[in-house]
Amino acid sequence: MKLYTAEEMSRADGRAQDLGIPGGVLMERAGAAMAQVALERFSPNRALIVCGGGNNGGDGFVIARELHRAGVEVAVLATKDEYGGDPAINLEALRNLEVRLVRVEEVEAELDRADLVVDALLGTGFSGEVREKEAGIIEKINGAGVSVLAVDVPSGVDGGTGEVAGAAVFADVTVCAHAAKVGCVISPGAEHAGETLVVEIGIPPEADSEPSLLWTDGASLRGSIPRTSAPAHKYSAGALMVVAGSRAMTGAAVMSVRGAERAGCGITFLATSAGAAPAVDIALTETIVYGVEEGEFGGMSPGAADEILGRSERATALVIGPGIGTGEEGRRLVEAILAGTDLPVLLDADAVTSLAGTDALARREGPTVITPHAGELGRLLGSGAKEVSARRLHSSRQAAHDYGCCVLLKGSDTIVVEGGKTSVNSTGSVALATAGTGDVLSGVIGALLSRGMQPYEAARAGAWIHGRAAELWLRETGWPAESMVATDLFDHVPRAMGELL
Ligand SMILES: NC(=O)C1=CN([C@@H]2O[C@H](COP(=O)(O)OP(=O)(O)OC[C@H]3O[C@@H](n4cnc5c(N)ncnc54)[C@H](OP(=O)(O)O)[C@@H]3O)[C@@H](O)[C@H]2O)[C@@H](O)CC1
Ligand SMILES: [K+]
């Protein structure tokens, strides 16, 4: 699937028109294809088409004409007094056909009778906060409990970022013209979009440009995972040092290491607190477990950094963070390890949190991936979880820029950013919203780093494999998503990875 921002879409549209394809033709094809989706998905009897003053509204007029032609009883709200260009032409056709045009005061009554609303109020020409009049219409649509098909992007969602500053339509299906709009796949816009579909509208490949955001699907990763070829030994297949766990959190260490094993590490080492080591050792048959000096709170003490660095001599990458605990000791330990190695490092969970307010990341020259969720990134940036959740694309890009590392922002729309590159992951399930899945992810990406993948590619691939493993578990068990536990992922990580080879 191709992802376009509003600017990229309007560039492609402009180039198509420069090539001699009239804008009206694009609008006609968009509207006709979207009407077809409406008919197939919803089999409506009575549809209300809500049309704004721009080309999104113009698409809506075409949809209205097509639904009318198919025998659907159609009512159209046109919010602008005077239309111009292609929308005006299509509105005129509706008048000639005597399609019912309703006033904004009649919207509530129409919503009561409709079994489908087509939201063609605002498209890619919108950003910021919806004005009062349109916000009122959006609230009525959301309150009506009627199925909603959104045209191109749910009205009120910023098509280029997924940000929602005020009122925004909640759609069941969003049908995008030519390319999926970024705002439909990044939260919170993604939750407003429902299912996102793309229809062709006649823009030729000659009009396309390289998108600034990549959709991480299987095809974009196939062949990127290094294979172990003969002659191989356990170190050449990837040797990962995992620095994880504390007395209170032994599971995090186990899950990170086991994720790494299944993602193909030749050998795994674990450094954990001396108190946690015996329990962890029993759970990790294939791993070399080092119980290191323990600090005050049952975690590893900063003084353990030298031993950990020494034990990492034969490692090809490190994972630091799962279950190590936050606080002063954790911070000093992480800083000391980072200062002592140029190996590729993945920092997760507590390690990310503990680096807030330090320059340890910005100073570091070795390849680095951080894998925070919104709360952890909020603490790191000093902006808070709410701000990160509202501006996920902006926040992950800011962190990648400020800290000069690869950032993987977890969520249903996992975003990976490094330098000028940004991607959004395509796999996953709500099943992953359970304790320990993040630890597994750190191990999977750590393994890929240890096997020689570059940070951005390792993070993209790891996120895809992790999400795909959850999908495979759901498919195989048929169990409710809520019943999955993180350890269920282990058996499915290899199969997910197998799909990329
Ligand atoms: N071009 C293409 O590639 C193709 C585009 N296509 C379609 O066109 C769409 C893009 O059309 P677009 O550019 O005309 O903008 P659009 O989304 O209709 O928004 C403009 C309207 O929004 C209004 N408005 C703005 N801000 C507002 C606010 N805060 N609160 C309230 N209202 C606000 C603004 O009002 P104004 O400020 O002018 O009074 C104006 O009326 C695209 O999504 C796709 O569906 C397809 O037909 C095929 C090819
Ligand atoms: K819309």
Side-chain angles (χ1 to χ4, degrees):
M1 192 164 83
K2 189 167 54 205
L3 284 180
Y4 267 176
T5 62
E7 291 73 35
E8 288 160 351
M9 184 62 211
S10 105
R11 203 178 309 145
D13 168 68
R15 282 191 191 151
Q17 297 192 37
D18 292 345
L19 288 163
I21 304 163
V25 169
L26 301 178
M27 184 175 284
E28 181 65 24
R29 288 194 55 172
M34 290 170 183
Q36 196 56 38
V37 173
L39 291 168
E40 282 166 10
R41 286 297 177 105
F42 300 100
S43 308
N45 294 311
R46 286 186 77 107
L48 172 65
I49 325 293
V50 179
C51 302
N55 288 322
N56 198 253
D59 290 351
F61 293 145
V62 177
I63 295 171
R65 172 158 44 81
E66 285 292 298
L67 293 184
H68 169 79
R69 191 172 65 83
V72 179
E73 205 180 312
V74 173
V76 175
L77 171 69
T79 59
K80 203 172 178 177
D81 298 331
E82 287 288 322
Y83 281 86
D86 297 322
I89 294 170
N90 286 301
L91 176 59
E92 186 56 24
L94 291 178
R95 288 207 173 96
N96 295 337
L97 290 164
E98 295 181 3
V99 167
R100 212 155 51 84
L101 296 173
V102 300
R103 288 172 296 121
V104 71
E105 298 76 27
E106 297 169 278
V107 161
E108 252 169 324
E110 290 300 328
L111 283 168
D112 281 345
R113 296 151 72 188
D115 52 13
L116 177 68
V117 181
V118 173
D119 158 34
L121 196 54
L122 305 164
T124 51
F126 162 84
S127 65
E129 194 168 346
V130 177
R131 291 193 293 259
E132 201 179 332
K133 174 180 153 195
E134 284 78 7
I137 298 171
I138 289 170
E139 269 146 28
K140 288 194 176 87
I141 294 174
N142 285 343
V146 183
S147 298
V148 178
L149 179 145
V151 173
D152 213 27
V153 61
S155 299
V157 172
D158 185 316
T161 62
E163 290 172 22
V164 175
V169 164
F170 279 99
D172 298 281
V173 174
T174 298
V175 190
C176 300
H178 184 63
K181 303 299 148 6
V182 168
C184 296
V185 298
I186 292 181
S187 179
E191 285 82 65
H192 285 264
E195 185 184 354
T196 298
L197 304 175
V198 180
V199 291
E200 263 319 315
I201 64 166
I203 294 179
E206 287 81 352
D208 276 321
S209 54
E210 196 60 39
S212 55
L213 271 96
L214 176 67
W215 181 240
T216 298
D217 55 10
S220 74
L221 291 166
R222 206 145 290 131
S224 67
I225 310 277
R227 300 302 307 269
T228 306
S229 53
H233 54 78
K234 59 185 185 260
Y235 286 98
S236 69
L240 183 69
M241 167 60 86
V242 176
V243 183
S246 51
R247 272 183 196 253
M249 284 180 284
T250 53
V254 174
M255 285 185 282
S256 182
V257 170
R258 289 188 64 196
E261 289 173 343
R262 287 300 189 195
C265 261
I267 184 164
T268 50
F269 310 98
L270 174 72
T272 192
S273 72
V280 169
D281 202 15
I282 292 168
L284 294 173
T285 317
E286 294 89 349
T287 305
I288 301 168
V289 177
Y290 300 109
V292 301
E293 187 186 318
E294 198 165 290
E296 244 180 278
F297 304 104
M300 286 169 270
S301 120
D306 282 345
E307 181 184 352
I308 293 170
L309 287 166
R311 302 286 192 196
S312 304
E313 234 160 39
R314 298 195 71 181
T316 51
L318 279 82
V319 167
I320 308 173
I324 60 171
T326 49
E328 178 61 15
E329 288 197 330
R331 181 185 65 73
R332 280 170 46 213
L333 174 75
V334 176
E335 280 194 296
I337 299 173
L338 287 182
T341 178
D342 279 331
L343 285 172
V345 169
L346 178 143
L347 294 158
D348 185 39
D350 297 341
V352 178
T353 294
S354 67
L355 292 181
T358 76
D359 62 353
L361 277 172
R363 260 206 337 255
R364 191 176 147 72
E365 290 193 351
T368 311
V369 182
I370 62 172
T371 53
H373 55 54
E376 288 154 356
L377 190 60
R379 283 193 285 274
L380 188 65
L381 291 171
S383 58
K386 235 174 137 183
E387 163 75 6
V388 170
S389 298
R391 307 187 70 196
R392 289 176 58 80
L393 194 56
H394 169 82
S395 304
S396 47
R397 282 178 167 162
Q398 188 191 335
H401 174 265
D402 290 359
Y403 301 113
C405 63
C406 174
V407 177
L408 178 152
L409 177 56
K410 291 174 190 166
S412 53
D413 57 341
T414 295
I415 300 173
V416 179
V417 187
E418 185 188 62
K421 296 177 289 192
T422 306
S423 59
V424 185
N425 188 42
S426 66
T427 58
S429 156
V430 291
L432 289 167
T434 185
T437 55
D439 304 325
V440 178
L441 177 66
S442 71
V444 171
I445 298 173
L448 299 176
L449 288 172
S450 80
R451 295 172 66 189
M453 281 182 90
Q454 294 304 305
Y456 182 69
E457 289 304 311
R460 270 190 347 110
W464 188 92
I465 290 167
H466 186 251
R468 183 70 183 141
E471 292 173 2
L472 292 172
W473 177 86
L474 282 169
R475 196 171 74 187
E476 189 180 293
T477 60
W479 292 352
E482 294 84 347
S483 300
M484 199 188 82
V485 291
T487 50
D488 286 329
L489 291 171
F490 299 140
D491 286 347
H492 297 85
V493 162
R495 283 201 293 148
M497 204 161 60
E499 293 182 8
L500 298 180
L501 300 180

